[in-house]
């Protein structure tokens, strides 16, 4: 019995060692899209010792992204190294040394282990980008999308590396939010999945895994919840102010659903719910809201336009 157990343990640990040896250790990262999300992802990857190339369409945009990263690093450092300003300055210097920028994605992916796409939420534009980069990236390179609402499987199908393709869904603001949803499509290999989980941990996040289902975990629960709040208000059952107070004081949420909708952007929420509604027209959780549609048509998109459900002027 003891001999059999020892043999089993030895076999299992050698199998684990072989699997681990096969995993890709990600060192060089290319982040495409230097907006809100891409800049944050580039920052946390560079801060954790990866070499990062951040790509966007113009030097002007990249200058803005870099400035944003520098300011964010200063904020992080003030907290993290409150008593050690010298160590803080060294941390910023090291992080920025790991980060370069480019406007030519095809020219930089030849030496990258992982491409993280964080460009505009448009399937045609994303597919075109992945299809082009597939020709230039080495065989071992893993592709990942940060999309919030598109199917990872469809994006993977624009390449010839469906087994080395997954979702890496970060949250806004990236340097603050601890979660990453790692999305495994039916074609994503176990090795790719494990490499993406390891990378998420290496950048200081807590990864969870989810299949390629609309909204993954967080948005699948959050978006229908926010839409249900809008429907409650539309029926006249409660005021938006009272719904917000109720969810903060009764459920302990940091923001009420209308405050959250205004923060996320009403156009973004409408885009997500419309997409899901077209996939599952009979699902009442995904039904569009006349009030949300009206506010978006009036360009009242939330905080970013100065008015949504609330006024911010
Ligand atoms: N904003 C959020 O809260 C959030 C959260 C999680 C995931 N996401 C997802 O992340 C992605 C990016 O969102 P964002 O809020 O950072 O958008 P954003 O508009 O702030 O940034 C997008 C950037 O991509 C650049 N870009 C567009 N097309 C490009 C191309 N072909 N090549 C290189 N750069 C290109 C734009 O110039 C822009 O700088 C989207 O897929 C979105 O669904 C957003």
């Amino acid at each position: 019995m003891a001999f059999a157990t020892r043999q089993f343990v030895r076999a299992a640990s050698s199998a684990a060692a072989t699997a681990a040896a096969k995993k890709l250790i990600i060192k060089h990262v290319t982040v495409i899209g230097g907006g809100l999300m891409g800049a944050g992802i580039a920052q946390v990857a560079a801060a954790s010792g990866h070499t990062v190339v951040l790509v966007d369409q113009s030097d002007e945009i990249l200058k803005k992204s870099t400035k944003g990263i520098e300011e964010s690093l200063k904020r992080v450092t003030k907290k993290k190294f409150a008593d050690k300003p010298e160590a803080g300055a060294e941390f910023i210097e090291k992080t920025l040394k790991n980060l370069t920028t480019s406007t030519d994605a095809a020219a930089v992916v030849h030496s990258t282990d992982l491409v993280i796409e964080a460009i505009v939420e448009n399937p045609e534009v994303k597919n075109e980008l992945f299809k082009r980069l597939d020709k230039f990236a080495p065989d071992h390179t893993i592709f990942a999308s940060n999309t919030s609402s598109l199917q990872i499987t469809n994006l993977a199908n624009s390449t010839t590396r469906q087994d080395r393709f997954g979702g890496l869904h970060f949250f806004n603001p990236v340097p603050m939010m601890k979660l990453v949803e790692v999305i495994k499509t039916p074609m994503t290999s176990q090795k790719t999945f494990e490499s993406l989980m390891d990378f998420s941990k290496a950048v200081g996040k807590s990864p969870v895994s989810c299949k390629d289902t609309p909204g993954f975990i967080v948005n699948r629960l959050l978006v229908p919840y926010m839409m249900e709040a809008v429907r409650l208000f539309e029926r006249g059952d409660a005021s938006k102010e009272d719904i917000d107070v109720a969810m903060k004081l009764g459920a302990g949420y940091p923001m009420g659903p209308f405050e959250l909708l205004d923060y996320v952007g009403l156009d973004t929420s409408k885009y997500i719910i419309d997409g899901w509604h077209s996939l599952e027209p009979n699902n009442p959780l995904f039904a569009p809201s006349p009030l949300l549609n009206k506010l978006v048509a009036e360009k009242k998109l939330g905080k970013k336009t100065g008015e949504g459900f609330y006024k911010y002027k």
Side-chain angles (χ1 to χ4, degrees):
M1 171 68 187
F3 176 67
T5 307
R6 263 203 309 277
Q7 254 194 337
F8 172 76
V9 169
R10 216 175 290 138
S13 62
S14 109
T18 314
K22 279 189 194 155
K23 265 194 292 186
L24 173 66
I25 310 291
I26 291 161
K27 289 185 189 140
H28 307 292
V29 182
T30 301
V31 179
I32 321 261
L36 200 62
M37 297 305 291
I41 297 167
Q43 177 183 328
V44 296
S48 51
H50 302 85
T51 57
V52 180
V53 185
L54 179 60
V55 177
D56 208 303
Q57 290 166 312
S58 75
D59 286 326
E60 211 178 347
I61 300 174
L62 286 166
K63 234 182 230 169
K64 211 173 136 204
S65 316
T66 312
K67 197 160 172 269
I69 292 173
E70 283 168 6
E71 278 161 14
S72 170
L73 278 172
K74 277 184 202 154
R75 281 195 299 274
V76 171
T77 308
K78 238 186 193 173
K79 268 196 209 157
K80 207 172 158 188
F81 299 94
D83 308 325
K84 299 178 202 146
E86 274 169 27
E90 197 182 316
F91 168 72
I92 293 181
E93 197 190 324
K94 260 191 185 167
T95 302
L96 293 175
K97 238 186 214 165
N98 285 337
L99 183 70
T100 52
T101 60
S102 170
T103 52
D104 189 352
V108 296
V109 291
H110 62 81
S111 56
T112 201
D113 301 319
L114 172 65
V115 172
I116 305 175
E117 169 277 311
I119 68 168
V120 57
E121 189 76 336
N122 174 318
E124 283 83 39
V125 182
K126 285 189 197 278
N127 277 328
E128 199 276 325
L129 175 77
F130 280 125
K131 191 175 172 190
R132 192 160 59 91
L133 296 187
D134 192 36
K135 298 195 182 93
F136 292 94
D139 267 358
H140 81 275
T141 305
I142 295 174
F143 283 8
S145 175
N146 184 52
T147 180
S148 291
S149 63
L150 303 173
Q151 263 202 307
I152 302 292
T153 307
N154 288 347
L155 298 174
N157 282 337
S158 65
T159 72
T160 56
R161 61 181 78 220
Q162 288 100 329
D163 58 324
R164 283 148 288 150
F165 203 116
L168 270 184
H169 189 225
F170 286 82
F171 289 79
N172 177 29
V174 178
M176 304 293 296
M177 299 297 278
K178 293 288 285 177
L179 186 70
V180 178
E181 291 173 328
V182 179
I183 313 306
K184 194 172 188 281
T185 78
M187 303 168 298
T188 309
S189 72
Q190 184 62 18
K191 183 180 146 187
T192 298
F193 171 70
E194 285 174 19
S195 299
L196 292 176
M197 291 292 279
D198 287 354
F199 172 75
S200 305
K201 287 178 202 157
V203 300
K205 304 297 178 196
S206 302
V208 292
S209 72
C210 186
K211 288 185 184 168
D212 190 16
T213 177
F216 314 132
I217 299 175
V218 172
N219 285 341
R220 179 60 183 258
L221 297 178
L222 207 50
V223 176
Y225 150 73
M226 293 193 294
M227 294 302 290
E228 207 41 29
V230 177
R231 285 189 263 275
L232 193 70
F233 174 51
E234 273 177 327
R235 290 196 301 270
D237 292 339
S239 71
K240 57 182 186 295
E241 291 81 5
D242 279 355
I243 296 172
D244 276 350
V245 168
M247 292 314 290
K248 285 189 281 187
L249 301 188
Y253 286 16
M255 288 172 121
F258 294 95
E259 292 168 329
L260 189 56
L261 277 160
D262 277 357
Y263 177 76
V264 170
L266 304 195
D267 51 341
T268 306
S269 306
K270 175 175 157 49
Y271 181 84
I272 294 174
I273 207 73
D274 286 352
W276 294 355
H277 180 64
S278 67
L279 283 177
E280 293 181 31
N282 297 325
N283 189 337
L285 292 175
F286 298 167
S289 141
L291 177 57
L292 185 69
N293 290 347
K294 180 174 170 286
L295 289 170
V296 172
E298 291 168 356
K299 302 264 183 294
K300 293 175 182 164
L301 307 182
K303 266 193 133 166
K304 60 186 169 189
T305 58
E307 187 172 349
F309 282 100
Y310 296 110
K311 283 194 174 133
Y312 298 89
K313 283 169 196 157

